[in-house]
Amino acid sequence: MRLSKSFVPTLKEVPNDAVVKSHILMLRAGMVRMLSAGIYSFLPVGYRVIRKITEIIREEMNAIGGQEFHLPALNPREIWEETNRVESFGDILFHVKNRDYVLAPTHEEIMTYHARNVLKSYKELPQIWYQIQTKFRNEARPRSGVIRGRQFLMKDAYTFDATWEGLDIAYGYHDKAYRKIFDRCDLKYFVVGASSGAMGGTGSEEFMVKSDAGEDTVAYCEHCGYAANVEIAVSKVQGKKRESKSEDLKEISTPNVKSIDELCAFLKIDETQCAKSRVYIYDGKAVLILMLGNDEVNETKLEKVLGGTIRPAHPDELKEITGADAGSIGPIGFTGRIIADLRLKESNNLYSGANKNDFHIGGIDLSRDVKNIEYEDFRIVKSNENCIRCGSNLEVFTSIELGHIFKLGTKYSDSMKAMFLDENGKENPIIMGSYGIGVERVMACYIEQHNDERGMVWDKTLAPFHIHLIGLNMRKQEVIDATEKIYNELTKTGIEVLFDDRVDAQAGFKFNDADLLGMPVQVIVGDKKLKDGKVEVKIRKSGERFDVALNDLIGKVKELLV
């Protein structure tokens, strides 16, 4: 590809709306342009990378027996209503044409729709179906460039099995395929246990990369390898020990005290003597959650315990439900369901709100004073807590999700009546799995991990081009002749070449663009070295430079690209 005839709009300055490294470099290198918030156009150089990633994915999916589909992004709303996911996705789901249609954020329903119409016997199972397709999600706050957008490209695969053992095998196939895909893309990743979220199901793992640009938070133990999304992560952390003698309940005036820290300062107590109260609404009813001190409620864990979607009670609801505003709420006198975190199990001599503004109660014994209290693990894990497996310190950091694999089970086949007949003629729901990869995220994560102060640093596999051929002083005939010959010879051998043949661009400008674009090898052709029958070669990753004789150039380039 000749730069003089190509659309590669590089930028010198960092765009104001870009803060994530991959976003900055993709904009500066002319790989993408934003059309609207969370909606990006991929320009020629960027789209070449997307195509290489999708081919790697396609090869590995085909290797495990995957059959490629291309499903419509425009779906009848009625199919989504069969699984109640119009409601569960909420405002994230795009609706069109008087809400008769939706733009698909994922394709479980459509794949299940086709499966129920054709997979009628155990003899037709197992099946692996996949596609690489555009998805749509109406993200309220799209950010980090292509990492979290409203329109994105995704590989989603679905497996259909007659037995749970078959699902385990299919899940294992995808686990291995994903590792091969991300290894081939030269990504440093790790695998964590995760929540299935709106997708549902039983088993679930995420393939993640550590990044400050990440939107997920992960707990990780470097010593033993334990890793889990904080949505489900647990740690070995001590609870409050029960004291030998329980105090009597006492009401305490606490004017203007709203937080645990304020309460501790006012009463001169430690936060481990406090039970923080939060009220959530589930299935139209109020549930009081108690946490020790400043521990935070993990709402994903709470939803798993309760069995459905929750929301925090609104301020006006709090007053009606408890008689007090936030900061003065507690378990004594609360008439609804009360669940405490495990760190509070059977604790006594606690302080909590009195369900009366500006008052707290001390001396609370959960076993004595709170009837029918339940205990569950609700807390969000923190850095430096002990690993649940080995006891070493956990590290909690942000990360980007590359891929996610789910054991869906019969969630969708049950609700959509996708049934098959087993060998005994008995009707059973098809057992399913779902497996996704964010294609643009693979690209962004690669850039996040492979860059320096000058720009991107590509390897051969994902590089838009293998060679960046730079002609210096393209008005001189000897340079024109030499670069044309090199370009043609390299291209004939199957090597992908980006040829900077621009006549008016200065040498410094060409060098800066070459480093910004980051092709693995640069071949620099100038009239001075040509007089000695040589060109200069630069390795982008190391910065190493050396001269190569023209007659040896093709062989040397092939050697460098092995």
Side-chain angles (χ1 to χ4, degrees):
M1 189 170 92
R2 298 171 184 270
L3 267 176
S4 64
K5 298 179 180 180
S6 303
F7 184 58
V8 188
T10 58
L11 302 173
K12 289 183 179 180
E13 303 299 327
V14 176
N16 292 331
D17 61 340
V19 294
V20 174
K21 193 70 173 180
S22 57
H23 189 198
I24 292 168
L25 290 174
M26 289 166 76
L27 289 170
R28 286 195 58 217
M31 303 179 83
V32 299
R33 285 293 183 268
M34 187 173 75
L35 184 62
S36 182
I39 304 174
Y40 286 84
S41 298
F42 276 83
L43 309 188
V45 171
Y47 192 59
R48 287 180 71 94
V49 179
I50 291 294
R51 287 171 58 193
K52 291 188 175 187
I53 295 169
T54 57
E55 280 309 303
I56 289 172
I57 292 172
R58 187 170 283 115
E59 288 171 10
E60 296 301 338
M61 288 304 302
N62 291 345
I64 63 171
Q67 303 165 79
E68 187 170 7
F69 282 54
H70 187 77
L71 301 177
L74 185 65
N75 296 176
R77 174 190 169 104
E78 62 192 41
I79 295 178
W80 280 74
E81 287 177 336
E82 291 184 39
T83 58
N84 200 37
R85 287 214 296 176
V86 172
E87 181 180 345
S88 63
F89 265 102
D91 293 338
I92 290 178
L93 196 64
F94 279 107
H95 298 262
V96 296
K97 197 179 180 181
N98 298 323
R99 301 178 71 84
D100 291 337
Y101 294 89
V102 300
L103 292 177
T106 181
H107 273 83
E108 280 80 7
E109 280 80 0
I110 307 308
M111 283 290 193
T112 308
Y113 171 85
H114 289 297
R116 78 179 177 188
N117 291 330
V118 296
L119 302 179
K120 299 296 186 181
S121 168
Y122 74 96
K123 295 179 181 179
E124 298 168 316
L125 302 172
Q127 294 279 337
I128 300 175
W129 297 350
Y130 79 95
Q131 66 167 347
I132 301 173
Q133 168 66 300
T134 302
K135 304 298 176 76
F136 302 87
R137 295 185 186 178
N138 189 21
E139 298 287 353
R141 294 179 297 278
R143 56 193 180 275
S144 303
V146 301
I147 292 174
R148 191 170 188 88
R150 291 184 168 132
Q151 176 176 316
F152 54 94
L153 188 63
M154 183 177 177
K155 188 286 298 179
D156 52 325
Y158 304 88
T159 57
F160 304 89
D161 284 279
T163 66
W164 291 97
E165 292 78 12
L167 173 60
D168 291 340
I169 292 170
Y171 191 87
Y173 284 160
H174 283 80
D175 178 84
K176 291 178 181 177
Y178 275 36
R179 292 173 192 270
K180 289 181 179 179
I181 289 166
F182 300 138
D183 286 342
R184 288 180 64 182
C185 292
D186 196 21
L187 291 169
K188 299 179 181 68
Y189 66 93
F190 55 96
V191 183
V192 306
S195 166
S196 298
M199 305 304 172
T202 52
S204 176
E205 287 182 317
E206 291 173 327
F207 292 76
M208 314 284 282
V209 298
K210 184 178 180 179
S211 173
D212 291 337
E215 57 193 15
D216 288 288
T217 305
V218 168
Y220 179 70
C221 176
E222 187 173 353
H223 185 262
C224 74
Y226 170 78
N229 193 301
V230 290
E231 292 177 337
I232 65 168
V234 294
S235 64
K236 190 182 294 183
V237 61
Q238 289 186 344
K240 184 183 185 302
K241 293 182 179 180
R242 184 175 178 85
E243 297 176 17
S244 58
K245 182 179 179 181
S246 292
E247 300 172 359
D248 294 332
L249 290 176
K250 54 187 175 183
E251 188 176 85
I252 307 164
S253 175
T254 52
N256 299 316
V257 171
K258 301 297 181 184
S259 70
I260 293 295
D261 290 340
E262 289 172 348
L263 182 63
C264 291
F266 185 82
L267 298 177
K268 295 181 174 55
I269 59 175
D270 187 78
E271 69 169 272
T272 58
Q273 295 175 260
C274 303
K276 178 170 62 179
S277 300
R278 295 283 304 275
V279 175
Y280 288 88
I281 305 300
Y282 167 66
D283 197 23
K285 298 178 182 178
V287 181
L288 181 72
I289 305 300
L290 289 174
M291 304 298 295
L292 179 60
N294 279 313
D295 284 351
E296 294 296 330
V297 178
N298 187 321
E299 294 183 354
T300 301
K301 291 181 180 180
L302 177 56
E303 286 187 338
K304 186 175 181 179
V305 168
L306 294 177
T309 304
I310 62 167
R311 66 169 175 82
H314 301 313
D316 55 335
E317 291 177 307
L318 281 177
K319 194 67 177 289
E320 182 179 345
I321 293 166
T322 69
D325 296 317
S328 297
I329 295 167
I332 304 302
F334 185 83
T335 57
R337 186 177 179 182
I338 300 176
I339 315 176
D341 183 72
L342 287 174
R343 292 189 76 197
L344 283 168
K345 190 166 186 179
E346 299 175 352
S347 295
N348 61 346
N349 299 332
L350 295 168
Y351 294 83
S352 195
N355 293 322
K356 182 166 66 172
N357 284 344
D358 297 326
F359 284 87
H360 282 75
I361 291 178
I364 299 172
D365 182 333
L366 295 181
S367 298
R368 179 192 67 193
D369 302 321
V370 185
K371 304 304 180 185
N372 300 319
I373 189 170
E374 303 168 50
Y375 295 97
E376 298 285 352
D377 170 36
F378 287 140
R379 65 186 302 277
I380 296 175
V381 169
K382 301 175 184 176
S383 282
N384 298 318
E385 292 178 356
N386 293 334
C387 173
I388 193 68
R389 285 185 187 167
C390 70
S392 299
N393 282 357
L394 289 173
E395 182 184 3
V396 177
F397 52 78
T398 56
S399 58
I400 300 170
E401 177 192 326
L402 287 170
H404 202 162
I405 58 178
F406 310 84
K407 291 182 179 179
L408 293 177
T410 61
K411 173 181 171 67
Y412 295 90
S413 50
D414 278 336
S415 59
M416 295 185 68
K417 305 296 187 293
M419 313 296 284
F420 75 97
L421 295 178
D422 63 20
E423 58 269 32
N424 299 314
K426 182 181 177 182
E427 193 174 61
N428 297 279
I430 297 172
I431 299 169
M432 293 175 57
S434 177
Y435 317 86
I437 292 178
V439 177
E440 289 117 324
R441 288 188 174 200
V442 173
M443 179 177 175
C445 287
Y446 180 92
I447 295 170
E448 289 286 330
Q449 292 183 348
H450 299 81
N451 69 79
D452 59 21
E453 68 279 2
R454 297 184 300 279
M456 295 173 288
V457 182
W458 294 101
D459 67 3
K460 176 187 174 183
T461 305
L462 296 187
F465 297 90
H466 303 139
I467 302 295
H468 196 130
L469 176 61
I470 304 169
L472 303 180
N473 199 346
M474 287 295 291
R475 287 188 173 86
K476 292 194 174 184
Q477 193 60 47
E478 60 268 33
V479 176
I480 295 173
D481 292 343
T483 51
E484 288 290 342
K485 183 179 180 181
I486 293 169
Y487 179 62
N488 290 329
E489 288 181 350
L490 288 172
T491 302
K492 285 178 182 177
T493 64
I495 295 173
E496 299 169 1
V497 183
L498 179 63
F499 180 13
D500 193 343
D501 61 338
R502 293 174 293 181
V503 174
D504 296 328
Q506 297 296 315
F509 191 85
K510 291 188 174 188
F511 292 149
N512 288 338
D513 270 1
D515 283 346
L516 172 62
L517 290 164
M519 308 313 162
V521 178
Q522 298 173 15
V523 175
I524 304 158
V525 182
D527 56 313
K528 292 182 180 179
K529 292 189 185 294
L530 280 176
K531 291 176 182 178
D532 297 325
K534 296 179 179 180
V535 296
E536 185 178 20
V537 172
K538 176 183 173 180
I539 309 302
R540 175 65 181 89
K541 185 175 183 179
S542 66
E544 179 185 1
R545 295 172 177 265
F546 48 87
D547 293 343
V548 177
L550 281 169
N551 292 336
D552 299 330
L553 180 62
I554 303 301
K556 186 63 178 178
V557 166
K558 289 182 178 179
E559 177 187 321
L560 292 172
L561 292 175
V562 171

